[in-house]
Amino acid sequence: TLEGSASHVWADRPSASAANQATNVKIALSQPLFRGFREFALIRKADWELEAERARGEGKRFDLYADVAQAFYGALAARKDVENDETELALTGERASELEARVRIGRTRKGDAASARSQEARIAARLESSRAAAVNAGEEFSNLIQATGVDVAPAPVSQLPRAELPELDECLRQAVATPHLRAAQFLVAAAEESLTAEKGGYYPALDLVGQAYPVRSGSLAASRWDLGAYLSWELFHGFSTASQRREMAALVRERESGLVLIRREVESKVRSSHRKAAAAATSLAAYERAARLADENYIEQERDARLGVATTLERLQALSSRTEARRALDRARFDWLAAMAVLRSLTGQVGRAP
């Protein structure tokens, strides 16, 4: 520390020959040599707090990844619903036209054609609802990534990622190194360094001080500089050091308790997310089987229709069942992908293929 000071003092004259005024100008340079290692502890504390902020930023990035993934797969599912409804609407319209043609030649009842048109109207209404849901889901996704005009087109089934669900124990092991936990651990370390710094107040302080005197009065007027080592020990300061030490010790305990709570919260979220992913995987397998059977039924009905042993209404029913099975399968597939994305964000596996 570099300091400058100037003084002019008037005093009672002790004798006739003594001066009663003194003028001094001093420039002092001081260097602390020992403060109970408080400076080193405070430097380490600042480093730990910086690491905690970095870990928090990484944790927010992981949270954003999970939110974006869920919004993205939700938008894909909504677009896929629109695609399925458009396909069903077109095929139902064709079947209804066939029935009306058969009504005109007297080979089908008018009620069958009316039933087909009614089903076509219901599908058209559902299509409009699906389109509105797709627009809302797309806007939600666009707002989340802060972009406009984003077109979320459903990928072919063969291009969608697929992976096995990891074991729960493996997920819990990976979750130990997640950013949220590391940030809490860094804050505990920072509090411990603060406590170490406060304990340094019990130690003496040693300073090296050099002083130069451009103007100096008195018996040392001829001496223009001096250099000294100063040792000081604070004996009593209203118990402020002890109070600050207790405050830092309480902060350490508070952050340790917070670390325990965060660890439990992370473990609970990982377990819950793993259960949801496992349920989504089970549902996906079941819907894949249901969709396969619905496809086989639809193919059989079309084959029977060409042979003249299946009615148009039976074909419409098979088409409706097939569309519902495909819709449920697509939803299950995107639910699985979203659940896996959330699980990856909780276990710190962001950026890896599902």
Side-chain angles (χ1 to χ4, degrees):
T1 304
L2 182 64
E3 297 179 341
S5 63
S7 64
H8 185 82
V9 180
W10 289 268
D12 185 23
R13 189 189 300 271
S15 64
S17 59
N20 69 336
Q21 298 185 36
T23 301
N24 292 287
V25 176
K26 179 177 66 174
I27 299 175
L29 178 63
S30 62
Q31 173 61 49
L33 299 180
F34 182 74
R35 287 288 189 276
F37 303 109
R38 300 181 67 179
E39 292 82 358
F40 298 103
L42 292 176
I43 291 174
R44 292 193 298 269
K45 171 194 173 185
D47 291 340
W48 285 122
E49 289 179 341
L50 179 60
E51 290 297 326
E53 287 301 319
R54 289 173 177 169
R56 284 172 175 167
E58 187 179 4
K60 291 179 180 179
R61 183 172 66 88
F62 282 17
D63 294 341
L64 180 61
Y65 169 85
D67 294 340
V68 170
Q70 292 183 90
F72 175 71
Y73 289 126
L76 282 181
R79 286 293 301 272
K80 196 66 176 177
D81 286 344
V82 172
E83 182 180 299
N84 290 330
D85 288 341
E86 288 176 342
T87 301
E88 184 180 7
L89 180 62
L91 293 176
T92 302
E94 293 177 3
R95 301 296 180 269
S97 298
E98 291 178 10
L99 285 173
E100 289 175 343
R102 294 171 68 88
V103 167
R104 285 193 292 270
I105 61 177
R107 299 188 61 182
T108 301
R109 296 177 304 170
K110 292 183 178 180
D112 293 342
S115 177
R117 287 301 180 187
S118 174
Q119 183 174 346
E120 181 185 15
R122 290 196 301 270
I123 297 172
R126 189 177 64 195
L127 174 60
E128 293 302 319
S129 177
S130 297
R131 286 172 175 169
V135 171
N136 292 334
E139 290 180 352
E140 180 181 352
F141 175 68
S142 299
N143 292 335
L144 194 59
I145 64 174
Q146 297 182 352
T148 57
V150 178
D151 185 19
V152 182
V157 175
S158 59
Q159 297 181 10
L160 291 174
R162 185 73 181 270
E164 295 297 329
L165 178 67
E167 295 293 333
L168 177 59
D169 291 340
E170 177 66 15
C171 293
L172 292 175
R173 185 188 63 78
Q174 293 171 344
V176 174
T178 53
H180 295 296
L181 269 178
R182 287 191 286 112
Q185 292 167 349
F186 293 151
L187 289 177
V188 171
E192 290 174 344
E193 294 297 344
S194 297
L195 178 59
T196 301
E198 293 301 331
K199 290 180 178 179
Y202 290 110
Y203 295 93
L206 179 63
D207 298 288
L208 181 65
V209 180
Q211 301 177 112
Y213 301 90
V215 178
R216 196 174 193 183
S217 302
S219 59
L220 299 176
S223 177
R224 293 302 181 183
W225 64 272
D226 58 44
L227 179 66
Y230 296 86
L231 181 67
S232 61
W233 200 329
E234 189 176 89
L235 299 179
F236 182 74
H237 194 201
F239 303 107
S240 62
T241 302
S243 176
Q244 292 171 355
R245 182 183 60 81
R246 288 193 296 269
E247 181 179 351
M248 290 301 103
L251 179 62
V252 171
R253 292 191 297 271
E254 177 185 345
R255 290 187 175 176
E256 287 176 342
S257 299
L259 174 60
V260 172
L261 292 176
I262 292 176
R263 183 178 290 115
R264 291 177 179 174
E265 181 182 359
V266 169
E267 180 179 346
S268 176
K269 287 183 177 180
V270 169
R271 291 182 181 275
S272 176
S273 180
H274 190 276
R275 285 194 299 269
K276 290 180 180 179
T282 302
S283 297
L284 178 58
Y287 283 122
E288 285 177 340
R289 180 175 181 274
R292 184 175 64 255
L293 294 176
D295 286 340
E296 293 174 357
N297 178 54
Y298 178 74
I299 292 173
E300 288 297 327
Q301 291 295 334
E302 289 296 311
R303 183 182 297 113
D304 291 344
R306 287 193 295 271
L307 297 175
V309 295
T311 66
T312 304
L313 288 179
E314 290 173 338
R315 295 165 64 194
L316 283 175
Q317 183 178 2
L319 173 62
S320 178
S321 299
R322 179 194 183 197
T323 303
E324 288 300 324
R326 286 180 175 273
R327 178 194 295 270
L329 175 59
D330 291 333
R331 281 287 177 181
R333 181 177 291 113
F334 292 123
D335 287 345
W336 153 260
L337 292 172
M340 288 298 295
V342 173
L343 184 61
R344 287 197 302 276
S345 71
L346 291 174
T347 56
Q349 305 303 304
V350 171
R352 301 187 179 183

